[in-house]
Amino acid sequence: MVTSDGSTEMSFGVMGGYYQAMGHAHLVSKVLVYGMDLQEAIDLPRLIPVGGNDTRVEAEHTVPPAVATELERRGFRLVPSPDPIGGAQVIRIDWENGTLTGASESRKDGIALGF
């Protein structure tokens, strides 16, 4: 959960094994820092470092070619991810208007449902 001024602002979850921690940080930063809408943030192409001292990065097929080229120019070796990376659902509470906004992962089955 994300809280602001003592109230819950968002309830969310990102799954995906070793992607989970990075996925949580990615979702929160895209929504709260960059002002993206919930679904837009969830739908972004995903990348995940392979780990260790390796420069390989798994990349979903939706990573734009210009981004892939720039990452490779910076020394990363992109490898296609065999499966979608992670999954997420999120609900944001607008206390002022009394509304809930939800978004759900297109990569997996799921639903964002709140009441």
Side-chain angles (χ1 to χ4, degrees):
M1 280 196 208
V2 173
T3 62
S4 177
D5 297 325
S7 295
T8 301
E9 184 174 333
M10 288 192 322
S11 173
F12 70 100
V14 176
M15 60 200 122
Y18 64 99
Y19 175 73
Q20 192 168 12
M22 184 173 169
H24 280 117
H26 188 251
L27 178 63
V28 169
S29 70
K30 296 306 177 202
V31 172
L32 299 181
V33 176
Y34 293 97
M36 294 179 103
D37 114 343
L38 301 176
Q39 193 65 53
E40 183 180 31
I42 287 176
D43 289 343
L44 286 170
R46 295 182 181 150
L47 303 152
I48 185 76
V50 172
N53 293 327
D54 203 328
T55 60
R56 287 180 301 150
V57 175
E58 282 188 16
E60 290 183 327
H61 72 279
T62 54
V63 172
V67 172
T69 298
E70 179 61 19
L71 289 169
E72 289 170 345
R73 186 189 71 75
R74 294 180 184 205
F76 296 99
R77 292 183 304 135
L78 271 60
V79 295
S81 176
D83 298 303
I85 299 172
Q89 284 82 34
V90 60
I91 297 172
R92 192 167 194 181
I93 304 166
D94 181 338
W95 293 102
E96 187 175 316
N97 293 308
T99 59
L100 302 173
T101 302
S104 186
E105 186 61 65
S106 61
R107 293 166 179 87
K108 302 175 186 269
D109 288 341
I111 185 171
L113 181 64
F115 55 92

